Amino acid sequence: KQEVTQIPAALSVPEGENLVLNCSFTDSAIYNLQWFRQDPGKGLTSLLLIQSSQREQTSGRLNASLDKSSGRSTLYIAASQPGDSATYLCAVNSWGKLQFGAGTQVVVTP
Amino acid sequence: ETGVTQTPRHLVMGMTNKKSLKCEQHLGHNAMYWYKQSAKKPLELMFVYSLEERVENNSVPSRFSPECPNSSHLFLHLHTLQPEDSALYLCASSPGKGPWNEQFFGPGTRLTVL
């Protein structure tokens, strides 16, 4: 059974610092991995999708890497802003099912 | 309307009530999903529909009854719920049900069961 872990559970950084969010998974037989953002009480916004054949994906200040063999993905957010405050979820697609981690709650202080 | 919409956004119901959650996708997708997000727990997949056929039911209690009348609409009918069913219910859609498909989520319905 696929298990997805996100560490740390919460993170607070001053504005301008780079953010590093970690996601690990137990079964390397994945099709893809998605990173989502969730604002309090709201739905999920897809940030990046990395297919299993890819090593990284970039979108603006966001960069996500994938190391399937070690069961890890990292989301980097450069030059963080207060508007980046949210919960970040990673989800691994195994056999057509998305398995979610519990998320990392991020606070960026001005 | 664009993307995936859900109504109502908030719902409070008693344990003896019957209510329904509605999801509509405007993306031309063929697969739709219901997820449950309880406090401090990861999202849990409840149901998957592909071309209006239920292809997945993740051991969900029968007090939750999904319905997919067409590829654009998905309902979750609720009856005799328990307080522990209080959660954020999220709907998602994808172009197909294959694992390479990206899922797009709605804003969710916040359900409180008294």
Side-chain angles (χ1 to χ4, degrees):
Chain A
K1 182 190 170 191
Q2 180 72 270
E3 293 186 6
V4 182
T5 304
Q6 290 187 248
I7 295 174
L11 184 60
S12 180
V13 298
E15 182 177 5
E17 266 198 22
N18 296 331
L19 283 164
V20 180
L21 308 178
N22 298 300
C23 173
S24 61
F25 47 95
T26 55
D27 185 350
S28 61
I30 68 169
Y31 285 94
N32 54 51
L33 184 146
Q34 265 183 277
W35 281 96
F36 293 90
R37 169 187 171 135
Q38 185 174 31
D39 292 289
K42 302 288 180 63
L44 277 61
T45 301
S46 180
L47 298 174
L48 290 167
L49 171 73
I50 312 178
Q51 300 292 354
S52 62
S53 58
Q54 297 176 309
R55 297 294 295 237
E56 67 178 324
Q57 275 281 14
T58 299
S59 175
R61 293 185 296 114
L62 277 59
N63 174 279
S65 66
L66 175 63
D67 184 341
K68 210 171 65 160
S69 60
S70 66
R72 292 181 186 175
S73 177
T74 302
L75 177 66
Y76 300 91
I77 303 178
S80 61
Q81 303 168 359
D84 294 327
S85 299
T87 297
Y88 291 83
L89 301 168
C90 77
V92 173
N93 194 324
S94 297
W95 308 107
K97 291 186 184 183
L98 273 184
Q99 288 290 133
F100 283 84
T104 295
Q105 186 174 14
V106 171
V107 174
V108 180
T109 55
Chain B
E1 294 277 18
T2 58
V4 181
T5 58
Q6 292 186 241
T7 54
R9 295 294 310 278
H10 300 272
L11 178 62
V12 179
M13 59 187 288
M15 291 191 286
T16 58
N17 292 158
K18 288 185 180 182
K19 296 286 184 183
S20 296
L21 310 184
K22 179 183 176 183
C23 175
E24 184 172 2
Q25 59 94 2
H26 309 268
L27 300 168
H29 290 168
N30 290 318
M32 297 187 77
Y33 311 77
W34 279 118
Y35 287 87
K36 176 183 178 182
Q37 187 178 34
S38 303
K40 307 298 182 186
K41 291 176 68 175
L43 270 82
E44 302 170 72
L45 178 64
M46 300 174 73
F47 301 103
V48 180
Y49 275 82
S50 176
L51 296 172
E52 299 124 55
E53 178 185 349
R54 191 190 312 179
V55 296
E56 185 104 22
N57 176 345
N58 269 1
S59 303
V60 179
S62 59
R63 58 185 182 269
F64 294 91
S65 174
E67 178 190 4
C68 188
N70 55 62
S71 59
S72 297
H73 294 86
L74 184 66
F75 294 89
L76 188 62
H77 304 299
L78 316 171
H79 63 97
T80 58
L81 294 191
Q82 306 297 311
E84 61 264 28
D85 297 322
S86 298
L88 182 67
Y89 289 85
L90 292 162
C91 173
S93 71
S94 63
K97 74 172 180 65
W100 53 88
N101 287 280
E102 184 175 359
Q103 293 185 25
F104 296 82
F105 284 76
T109 295
R110 172 68 64 186
L111 174 67
T112 302
V113 181
L114 302 176

